[in-house]
Amino acid sequence: MKEEWVLRFKAEFSDKARQARKTLEQAWTDAREAMFTALSEYPRNVSEVAFSNRFDKRFGHPIGRTREFTEPTPAITDETLTADIRHFKTATADIQADTDWMQTMPVPVPLIASLTAERITELVIKIEGGNQNTRIAEFDAETAAEWIPAELQETLIKLATRFIYKDDRFTDSD
């Protein structure tokens, strides 16, 4: 009789703990979604990558965590989820109020305007192969989009975006 009672109590307790965690995970998802919805409605064009990096730095997370951690996992503690929810809500209010850290958020630089001929040449070399001593062509940023073969443009844009956000001149230094 006691064993049956213990098993029933354990099952009930486990169900309550599981439900509490599920509720917390849903609150985390909702708060994160609300933050990014507010960002998408922000009057200025702000890069999600730049925002996530600034957010991580502001709340003491490792850089890139907000982009990488997109759904709760069992390894993430309840305390971490609770802290994140608080941070997401704070950031959402800051976005909506257009606070100082949002006003100084870097705005994405148009791809072609941000790349010099030298950088575009280096990226094309990486895509087509060859070495850094090879000069594919001399051209300026205004004609670069026309010069790059159509089949390479999508790959180049992805590579260039990664290249830009790793460049110190285009990342947040605060």
Side-chain angles (χ1 to χ4, degrees):
M1 186 69 168
K2 286 183 180 181
E3 185 177 325
E4 184 182 319
W5 181 85
V6 168
L7 291 175
R8 197 168 51 244
F9 177 79
K10 180 181 175 188
E12 187 177 319
F13 180 77
S14 294
D15 286 346
K16 285 182 181 177
R18 195 174 11 258
Q19 186 58 42
R21 174 62 184 216
K22 195 174 179 179
T23 302
L24 184 60
E25 288 177 353
Q26 187 59 52
W28 184 92
T29 302
D30 293 346
R32 187 177 196 277
E33 187 177 311
M35 179 176 72
F36 282 111
T37 298
L39 182 64
S40 72
E41 295 167 352
Y42 191 66
R44 280 181 33 234
N45 182 21
V46 174
S47 156
E48 192 171 303
V49 172
F51 171 82
S52 295
N53 288 342
R54 177 78 65 94
F55 175 90
D56 287 341
K57 187 173 186 178
R58 182 168 187 245
F59 292 108
H61 299 159
I63 295 298
R65 178 179 176 271
T66 300
R67 288 191 315 277
E68 293 165 9
F69 176 25
T70 57
E71 61 182 51
T73 63
I76 304 298
T77 65
D78 290 359
E79 291 77 18
T80 299
L81 292 177
T82 302
D84 281 358
I85 291 168
R86 187 170 45 254
H87 297 165
F88 293 156
K89 288 180 177 182
T90 300
T92 302
D94 286 351
I95 293 166
Q96 292 167 341
D98 196 21
T99 55
D100 290 345
W101 76 282
M102 283 305 299
Q103 290 172 11
T104 59
M105 189 68 61
V107 175
V109 177
L111 179 65
I112 295 302
S114 67
L115 294 177
T116 63
E118 179 71 25
R119 285 182 168 190
I120 292 173
T121 302
E122 287 175 14
L123 290 169
V124 173
I125 289 169
K126 286 180 184 178
I127 292 169
E128 292 185 343
N131 61 46
Q132 293 296 333
N133 298 326
T134 305
R135 296 303 299 182
I136 292 177
E138 293 293 332
F139 51 88
D140 62 31
E142 291 176 10
T143 60
E146 295 170 14
W147 180 87
I148 298 168
E151 64 274 5
L152 293 179
Q153 286 188 19
E154 184 178 341
T155 306
L156 177 60
I157 288 168
K158 288 178 185 172
L159 231 160
T161 301
R162 223 175 307 142
F163 185 74
I164 289 168
Y165 287 117
K166 287 186 178 180
D167 187 330
D168 291 341
R169 293 179 303 155
F170 298 102
T171 57
D172 178 30
S173 60
D174 289 340

